[in-house]
């Protein structure tokens, strides 16, 4: 399978891309308060599932690593690893925010922990082709020790921002891939790995 470097992601997600979608007043899709709300939601959900504070987060397709400073404020001792194929983002924020150069297809080749309390794929899964998505979900499932937060827009969903991506698949397709990867939905784009299913109620397990 071609990886994200072959498909040009390293150069495509350049400074102009991030200036437009993260800083331009007309195009920016998320405000700092929305980001804070989103990060808090994911962390609190994972802590409820784990029954303890979150200690480690893997942010796949992390971009400039926007989640990192927010996480550090909420959880000063959290171990954070971000992964992204953007050479611009890694050059600018890699050392400061703990970002590694690579794609979702390459997690096994990177110096990462075996598992993380939280795995985040925010605003990046829709950019992947079928092979990248399918392979990527297996890798994400293997690293999920608590909760995976997987933002996916399916066919028929309303979305805003950059939509220069492959046509979304029907929801049933994404569900099938996630189920095969061993990820169980617990609502609001959060999932637990099948091995951890005892942590969730039968009502959600047998849906
Ligand atoms: C809209 S940005 C999201 C960034 C960040 N997750 C956030 O929420 O701000 C999409 C990101 O997906 C990344 N991306 C594209 N293809 C990827 C791949 N195959 N594996 C991992 N990340 C990828 C891009 O480099 C870009 O940083």
């Amino acid at each position: 399978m071609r990886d994200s470097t072959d498909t040009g992601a390293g150069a495509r997600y350049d400074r102009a891309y991030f200036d437009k979608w993260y800083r331009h007043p007309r195009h920016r899709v998320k405000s700092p308060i929305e980001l804070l709300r989103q990060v808090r939601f994911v962390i609190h959900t994972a802590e409820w599932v784990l029954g303890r504070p979150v200690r480690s987060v893997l942010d796949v397709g992390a971009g400039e690593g926007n989640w990192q400073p927010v996480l550090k404020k909420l959880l000063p001792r959290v171990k954070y690893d971000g992964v992204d194929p953007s050479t611009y983002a890694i050059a600018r924020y890699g050392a400061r925010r703990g970002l590694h150069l690579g794609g979702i297809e390459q997690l096994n080749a990177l110096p990462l922990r075996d598992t993380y309390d939280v795995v985040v794929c925010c605003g990046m899964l829709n950019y992947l082709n079928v092979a990248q998505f399918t392979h990527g979900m297996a890798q994400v499932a293997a690293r999920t020790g608590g909760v995976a937060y997987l933002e996916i827009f399916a066919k028929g969903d309303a979305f805003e921002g950059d939509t220069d991506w492959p046509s979304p698949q029907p929801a049933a397709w994404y569900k099938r891939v996630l189920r095969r990867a061993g990820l169980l939905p617990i609502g609001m784009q959060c999932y637990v790995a099948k091995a951890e299913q005892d942590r969730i109620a039968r009502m959600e397990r047998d849906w």
Side-chain angles (χ1 to χ4, degrees), residues 44-130:
H44 290 166
T45 302
E47 294 196 338
W48 186 247
V49 169
L50 289 163
R52 61 164 172 79
V54 163
R55 298 185 191 121
S56 56
V57 175
L58 173 63
D59 189 357
V60 183
E64 294 179 338
N66 282 350
W67 279 55
Q68 191 268 357
V70 182
L71 279 165
K72 280 283 171 186
K73 265 205 185 120
L74 296 175
L75 301 165
R77 298 178 58 183
V78 75
K79 303 287 181 212
Y80 171 93
D81 284 305
V83 172
D84 201 279
S86 162
T87 45
Y88 148 77
I90 303 307
R92 185 165 180 195
Y93 290 103
R96 213 182 322 168
R97 294 187 171 169
L99 308 178
H100 309 265
L101 182 66
I104 196 167
E105 318 85 328
Q106 296 147 325
L107 297 187
N108 287 340
L110 296 173
L112 302 173
R113 293 163 175 256
D114 291 344
T115 62
Y116 290 79
D117 290 343
V118 177
V119 179
V120 176
C121 294
C122 180
M124 57 74 62
L125 290 172
N126 282 91
Y127 288 99
L128 307 180
N129 62 33
V130 164

Side-chain angles (χ1 to χ4, degrees), residues 171-200:
W173 183 87
Y174 292 111
K175 286 183 190 172
R176 219 167 29 244
V177 175
L178 295 183
R179 205 178 304 124
R180 275 194 203 133
L183 289 163
L184 303 177
I186 57 170
M188 298 301 290
Q189 314 256 41
C190 293
Y191 299 81
V192 296
K194 202 156 186 211
E196 302 291 324
Q197 63 178 325
D198 290 346
R199 294 186 194 275
I200 61 171

